[in-house]
Amino acid sequence: MKTDSIFYKLFQTFPSAFFELINLEASEANVYSFASVELKQTSFRIDGVFLPIANAGDGLLNDYPSLTQAAQTPSTVTPTANSDRPIYFVEVQFQKDVEFYARLFSEIFLYLRLYTPTKPWRAVVIFPRRSIEPTKVEPYQVLLDSQLVTRLYLNELGNQAEQSLGVGIIKLVVESKKQTPIYAKNLITRTRTELGNTALMQQVLDLIETIVLYKLPRISRQELMKMFGLDTFDIKTTRFYEEVREEVKEEVREEVKEEVREEVKEEVRQTQTLEVAMRQLRRRIGDVDRQLQERISQLSVEQLENLAEALLDFTTQEDLATWLRSNYNQP
């Protein structure tokens, strides 16, 4: 599972974490919807876009908000006109890429051109650490120095991760493997203590579980049971298992498709080679009786190619029958 897909799940499940990450109130998540946007007729995809909801109230929901906000499909994602709140473009970058900022600002300005919003925008870029960020940024320095762009480095969150459950879950993604079990167990305890909404609690626990299994794919069942405080643990009931299972099923389907394609190609080659061999035989020895035709049709592509070379010396059907007996033990 890719890191950007984890963050997509995280912000979709727990959108208030994003606003806490940029030092805004968690309640801001009440008035935004979240989606990943694929820009039409291009290969660009924006990791996430928080769009203001028209006429949304500012009231707090129970626990952590916005679970009721369904992610919109890319084809229906358009900024609303009835809010002064900015559109937030979210990009997660966990690998070095010298063209990252070129791609980021291309995506943003293409989005603005396609959807022509009239409201302000902000870009939030999430790096695991500063060393991942490109260093040659001169063409984009004005934008990076402005209030339009916020750059975050997860290994520098410090106390913020301790104060906020949502930000703490984000920090779990970059926690060291050694500290992950301890840190995750603390988040699990906080989730059960701080969230009164049972449905939300389970979604957040599933999210923590997904991140743990992503970071520690070889963790034992006993360790997971201890971490989550369970008497029993069935890996087959986890979302991670289902996702991996679907990925494996897709891989198997692709392998089967490839095998079928190869079989079809082989059959086509065999048919074409057989037709060529039969045409050459008719030219050399005239019509071939049905019994000999059946024998020839059983030959492989390689055998048919050998026959095509040998038949240049045939003058009668008996020559063909003798060749079949001598080379492929056909009666």
Side-chain angles (χ1 to χ4, degrees):
M1 183 184 298
K2 296 181 179 179
T3 306
D4 53 0
S5 67
I6 284 184
F7 274 89
Y8 179 79
K9 287 177 179 290
L10 196 157
F11 291 141
Q12 191 177 44
T13 302
F14 210 10
S16 58
F18 169 76
F19 294 96
E20 292 178 304
L21 188 64
I22 58 176
N23 294 315
L24 294 179
E25 293 294 328
S27 58
E28 280 293 296
N30 280 334
V31 292
Y32 278 86
S33 64
F34 176 71
S36 174
V37 178
E38 184 171 358
L39 301 177
K40 297 177 182 178
Q41 299 178 345
T42 74
S43 59
F44 287 155
R45 173 180 287 276
I46 301 175
D47 287 347
V49 180
F50 281 93
L51 296 168
I53 300 170
N55 300 321
D58 290 334
L60 288 169
L61 298 179
N62 291 333
D63 298 312
Y64 290 81
S66 290
L67 284 177
T68 57
Q69 305 297 339
Q72 301 177 46
T73 59
S75 60
T76 63
V77 173
T78 54
T80 59
N82 298 328
S83 174
D84 292 329
R85 290 179 169 85
I87 301 168
Y88 287 102
F89 298 103
V90 186
E91 284 291 325
V92 178
Q93 188 64 25
F94 269 53
Q95 295 180 350
K96 285 190 174 183
D97 181 358
V98 294
E99 297 182 351
F100 170 71
Y101 282 125
R103 188 177 70 254
L104 170 65
F105 293 118
S106 295
E107 291 170 353
I108 290 174
F109 286 107
L110 181 57
Y111 177 96
L112 297 176
R113 180 188 175 190
L114 290 174
Y115 296 108
T116 61
T118 58
K119 298 304 176 183
W121 61 270
R122 301 287 186 272
V124 178
V125 184
I126 300 173
F127 295 106
R129 54 191 176 276
R130 289 182 184 271
S131 60
I132 297 297
E133 184 178 13
T135 55
K136 296 182 179 180
V137 297
E138 288 77 8
Y140 320 105
Q141 196 66 60
V142 173
L143 287 167
L144 295 175
D145 290 342
S146 72
Q147 294 183 351
L148 294 173
V149 181
T150 298
R151 291 173 283 179
L152 300 172
Y153 312 97
L154 298 186
N155 67 332
E156 299 178 14
L157 291 177
N159 293 334
Q160 189 180 2
E162 298 177 6
Q163 296 170 3
S164 163
L165 175 59
V167 176
I169 294 173
I170 292 173
K171 190 173 184 298
L172 176 61
V173 179
V174 295
E175 191 59 66
S176 68
K177 290 186 177 182
K178 183 177 181 180
Q179 292 298 316
T180 290
I182 300 172
Y183 194 80
K185 190 171 183 179
N186 177 264
L187 289 173
I188 292 165
T189 301
R190 290 184 61 186
T191 299
R192 289 175 172 152
T193 302
E194 297 179 20
L195 301 184
N197 184 314
T198 304
L200 174 57
M201 181 193 304
Q202 189 56 53
Q203 289 188 51
V204 173
L205 288 174
D206 288 344
L207 181 60
I208 295 172
E209 173 193 288
T210 297
I211 296 172
V212 169
L213 288 168
Y214 164 75
K215 292 177 63 65
L216 306 173
R218 296 184 179 180
I219 189 170
S220 69
R221 181 176 302 186
Q222 290 73 22
E223 289 176 295
L224 280 170
M225 288 169 55
K226 184 178 180 180
M227 187 183 302
F228 282 85
L230 302 174
D231 295 327
T232 60
F233 182 84
D234 185 1
I235 189 69
K236 294 183 179 180
T237 64
T238 66
R239 287 186 179 183
F240 180 82
Y241 176 86
E242 286 300 322
E243 289 168 357
V244 172
R245 182 171 177 267
E246 288 304 314
E247 290 177 3
V248 172
K249 284 171 64 176
E250 184 60 31
E251 290 176 0
V252 171
R253 279 194 290 267
E254 288 301 319
E255 289 177 1
V256 170
K257 287 180 183 177
E258 187 59 34
E259 289 178 3
V260 171
R261 277 193 286 266
E262 291 302 319
E263 288 179 4
V264 170
K265 288 179 182 178
E266 186 65 23
E267 289 181 5
V268 170
R269 284 184 59 203
Q270 200 271 349
T271 300
Q272 292 176 338
T273 308
L274 175 61
E275 291 176 354
V276 171
M278 291 305 300
R279 282 200 302 269
Q280 291 177 326
L281 280 169
R282 292 189 188 99
R283 290 173 184 168
R284 295 295 301 175
I285 62 177
D287 291 337
V288 179
D289 69 45
R290 182 166 297 179
Q291 186 176 14
L292 286 174
Q293 288 184 38
E294 290 179 358
R295 295 179 189 174
I296 295 169
S297 67
Q298 297 173 10
L299 298 177
S300 67
V301 172
E302 182 180 0
Q303 291 169 340
L304 287 169
E305 290 173 346
N306 292 337
L307 173 59
E309 293 181 7
L311 63 82
L312 297 175
D313 298 325
F314 296 171
T315 57
T316 66
Q317 291 197 51
E318 184 57 35
D319 292 335
L320 171 61
T322 301
W323 184 89
L324 289 171
R325 287 194 298 270
S326 300
N327 289 276
Y328 299 108
N329 298 320
Q330 292 196 359

